[in-house]
Amino acid sequence: MATTRFAPSPTGYLHIGGLRTALYSYLWARKTGGEFKLRIEDTDTQRNNEEAMKAIIEAFDWVGLNYDGIVEYQSKRLDIYKKYIQELLDSGKAYYCYMSREELDALRETQIANKETPRYDGRYRDFTGTPPEGVDPVIRIKAPKEGMINFEDGVKGSMSFKSTEVDDFVIARSNGMPTYNFVVAIDDALMEITDVIRGDDHLTNTPKQIVIYNALGFKIPKFNHVPMINNPQGKKLSKRDGAMDVMEYKRLGYLPEALLNFLVRLGWSNKDQEIFSMEEMLALFDPSNINKSASAYNEDKLKWLNSHYIKNVSNERLAKELEFFDCFLSGHDKKEMILDLCKERAQTLVELKSAIDNILEVPTSYEAKGVNKFVKEDTCAMLEEYIALLEVNKSSLHLACDFEEITKPFIETKQLKFPQLFQPIRIALTGGTQAPSVYDIISILGCDEAIKRLNKAIVSGFVQ
Ligand code: GLU
């Protein structure tokens, strides 16, 4: 039973890298029957945490991730951190350090000049003298001076850091504020997190956090450091590549199941399976299968997955999703037909809406290129005859096949080529040549509306 957490620093919105670690943490907790907790790491920031929190909850709601219990805010836990700092001071595992800024800078410069890695030299570690005046001390942890700090990473395998790489780092600043690695360790321990799943940009923080766990006798969780998401060129993902607000994916017309499916595969795999329902993710996900190397963001794959889900969710669901894009089909008696027809080619809900509008809205212009190519001298006369045919048979024309039945003999008798008839009709009905089958469109619009649009095009001479 794993207890996991998502611990964002409030940056104002949730981006896909964050959502991916949240998803992995969520899946692992739910799969094992444990808990998934949410903690806002807001000790270091002046930003508006309420806004950031709202953005995260909004994104979680949209994709359907839910967390357990209350949201913990680090900014509200300062008393807890202070208590543990005091405990470490009392037990001699932490100490006041009175080095001034100037002294620290001087030490740093000397070390760099000696080609050493800059690090605190421990000069106040065992200090018993009288502290210098006028310096507000920081508090440092006594890190081990020799040996190794080892841990078994669920993704990366055995990790070993020399203790000398971890100096006596600051756990409380001179103003009393605890530092990042200190509070993360305290919170993960107190929140009883058993499995930490986070980006591998935090890998070098882990030995420091382990020093805190050991100093306080806390049980060390299992760490899983997930490699980054890169752009297709192998560079850091930028906003332009897709590192944007998760809610932007909603605005671009992605279904949440497509985004989650995309993210679960972006860094994790189960054989060569590409499509995963939430049930399958829950059944199959295991952090030990997280890829060891960075993954590449691939927009085509996301679109491919989205078109898969657009085709496979119910029409009722699609109609509901389309309302966000001001496309209201619920009252339309041909709703099923419209969606069946348009969803076949749509990669996003935005494209789906546009395909639907293309049929349902009276064209306000006719595509000149199509008109030039397909509207000839005798086209209008041919269309008038076709209208007459529709008029005569109107009462028995409902389904696409009804239109096909009367149109085929018309084409044969007049010895027409299909585009000669169908392209001008498409242009008259939708304004352009890129539209689904004419029979389907007429059947959706109904005979009267189709005749109206054909007449309008004829009267205007296909110019508007
Ligand atoms: N607050 C950190 C971040 O947003 C995450 C820390 C962690 O998961 O341990 O990158």
Side-chain angles (χ1 to χ4, degrees):
M1 207 154 76
T3 302
T4 63
R5 59 15 171 221
F6 179 51
S9 305
T11 54
Y13 62 74
L14 181 62
H15 61 85
I16 54 159
L19 182 59
R20 185 184 61 158
T21 29
L23 173 65
Y24 289 178
S25 303
Y26 170 88
L27 290 173
W28 191 228
R30 293 282 173 268
K31 176 184 174 146
T32 56
E35 292 198 336
F36 170 59
K37 298 184 175 177
L38 183 55
R39 176 172 82 229
I40 305 298
E41 308 214 308
D42 57 352
T43 48
D44 253 355
T45 168
Q46 303 301 318
R47 296 204 183 94
N48 183 338
N49 299 327
E50 281 305 314
E51 279 302 307
M53 196 51 226
K54 266 209 265 162
I56 290 163
I57 302 288
E58 190 190 13
F60 269 28
D61 275 352
W62 177 55
V63 298
L65 297 189
N66 52 344
Y67 56 88
D68 297 301
I70 57 158
V71 182
E72 296 286 5
Y73 287 84
Q74 287 186 330
S75 57
K76 295 183 185 159
R77 294 167 62 82
L78 291 176
D79 288 346
I80 299 175
Y81 308 135
K82 287 194 173 145
K83 174 176 155 265
Y84 282 100
I85 289 170
Q86 194 56 51
E87 189 178 318
L88 289 169
L89 285 170
D90 292 346
S91 61
K93 291 176 179 165
Y95 60 93
Y96 288 106
C97 168
Y98 296 88
M99 254 177 116
S100 65
R101 185 76 268 154
E102 295 71 35
E103 285 175 302
L104 270 171
D105 289 345
L107 174 65
R108 199 185 149 77
E109 274 166 33
T110 317
Q111 287 170 330
I112 291 175
N114 294 339
K115 303 211 169 3
E116 291 166 16
T117 315
R119 58 200 299 279
Y120 174 66
D121 62 2
R123 67 179 68 172
Y124 281 96
R125 187 172 164 120
D126 298 309
F127 180 73
T128 47
T130 313
E133 297 222 341
V135 180
D136 288 328
V138 297
I139 299 170
R140 292 182 181 272
I141 185 84
K142 278 188 185 166
K145 281 161 88 175
E146 51 203 29
M148 305 293 285
I149 299 171
N150 302 319
F151 64 96
E152 191 62 26
D153 191 275
V155 178
K156 307 209 172 248
S158 296
M159 302 301 298
S160 273
F161 292 82
K162 281 198 198 111
S163 293
T164 46
E165 285 172 41
V166 180
D167 59 5
D168 286 358
F169 59 94
V170 174
I171 58 170
R173 298 196 181 84
S174 53
N175 63 4
M177 280 300 275
T179 57
Y180 176 74
N181 281 309
F182 181 74
V183 297
V184 169
I186 300 292
D187 285 341
D188 283 338
L190 298 186
M191 289 165 76
E192 297 179 358
I193 305 301
T194 61
D195 295 62
V196 169
I197 302 178
R198 62 182 170 206
D200 67 2
D201 48 338
H202 287 285
L203 191 60
T204 51
N205 287 330
T206 305
K208 292 186 175 181
Q209 293 172 13
I210 288 177
V211 167
I212 306 291
Y213 280 98
N214 287 338
L216 287 165
F218 289 145
K219 189 165 182 298
I220 299 171
K222 170 112 192 165
F223 292 103
N224 301 273
H225 287 95
V226 185
M228 296 284 104
I229 304 172
N230 286 336
N231 72 10
Q233 290 73 42
K235 299 257 161 60
K236 191 171 182 277
L237 200 66
S238 72
K239 260 191 188 170
R240 202 159 35 107
D241 303 310
M244 52 198 173
D245 181 357
V246 164
M247 296 312 284
E248 193 57 29
Y249 286 89
K250 178 177 184 182
R251 292 186 277 275
L252 290 171
Y254 289 99
L255 287 170
E257 38 278 78
L259 186 61
L260 291 185
N261 192 152
F262 176 67
L263 290 178
V264 83
R265 278 289 290 105
L266 205 56
W268 172 84
S269 56
N270 177 62
K271 304 193 185 99
D272 53 4
Q273 185 173 346
E274 290 293 354
I275 308 282
F276 292 90
S277 64
M278 182 46 89
E279 290 70 36
E280 284 173 303
M281 287 185 211
L282 285 168
L284 297 166
F285 182 79
D286 190 312
S288 63
N289 295 340
I290 291 174
N291 300 346
K292 290 193 178 7
S293 48
S295 41
Y297 184 89
N298 177 343
E299 194 182 355
D300 290 341
K301 174 113 171 259
L302 175 58
K303 286 200 167 150
W304 175 77
L305 282 166
N306 206 41
S307 59
H308 166 84
Y309 284 100
I310 287 179
K311 282 199 217 64
N312 287 282
V313 298
S314 69
N315 283 345
E316 200 179 332
R317 167 79 191 285
L318 280 182
K320 203 158 177 320
E321 295 288 345
L322 283 165
E323 290 179 5
F324 179 77
F325 299 94
D326 289 332
C327 177
F328 300 94
L329 286 178
S330 40
H332 204 291
D333 59 349
K334 299 272 173 51
K335 179 177 108 179
E336 294 292 323
M337 210 182 151
I338 297 170
L339 288 170
D340 283 345
L341 190 64
C342 295
K343 71 185 179 185
E344 282 309 311
R345 290 201 271 181
Q347 287 196 310
T348 64
L349 294 170
V350 172
E351 286 179 15
L352 181 59
K353 172 195 157 58
S354 141
I356 294 169
D357 285 351
N358 203 26
I359 295 175
L360 295 187
E361 284 178 5
V362 180
T364 51
S365 64
Y366 301 111
E367 176 205 304
K369 200 166 148 231
V371 173
N372 286 341
K373 188 159 175 205
F374 296 107
V375 180
K376 304 288 176 208
E377 225 169 278
D378 51 358
T379 300
C380 288
M382 172 192 68
L383 290 180
E384 266 162 11
E385 281 184 59
Y386 189 68
I387 292 173
L389 181 72
L390 294 179
E391 290 280 9
V392 175
N393 294 284
K394 214 153 94 175
S395 58
S396 60
L397 297 177
H398 305 290
L399 306 174
C401 60
D402 301 336
F403 291 96
E404 185 170 1
E405 211 168 291
I406 61 152
T407 309
K408 278 215 162 134
F410 183 85
I411 291 175
E412 275 160 29
T413 328
K414 301 190 126 346
Q415 296 190 318
L416 298 171
K417 296 213 165 66
F418 287 131
Q420 259 179 296
L421 176 67
F422 290 137
Q423 289 301 46
I425 296 182
R426 270 201 188 91
I427 297 171
L429 299 182
T430 68
T433 52
Q434 300 296 317
S437 143
V438 160
Y439 303 135
D440 286 321
I441 303 172
I442 303 184
S443 156
I444 287 170
L445 293 176
C447 234
D448 285 338
E449 177 63 18
I451 292 171
K452 228 161 107 190
R453 291 191 190 184
L454 286 166
N455 274 325
K456 193 170 168 232
I458 294 169
V459 171
S460 73
F462 281 87
V463 188
Q464 217 164 30

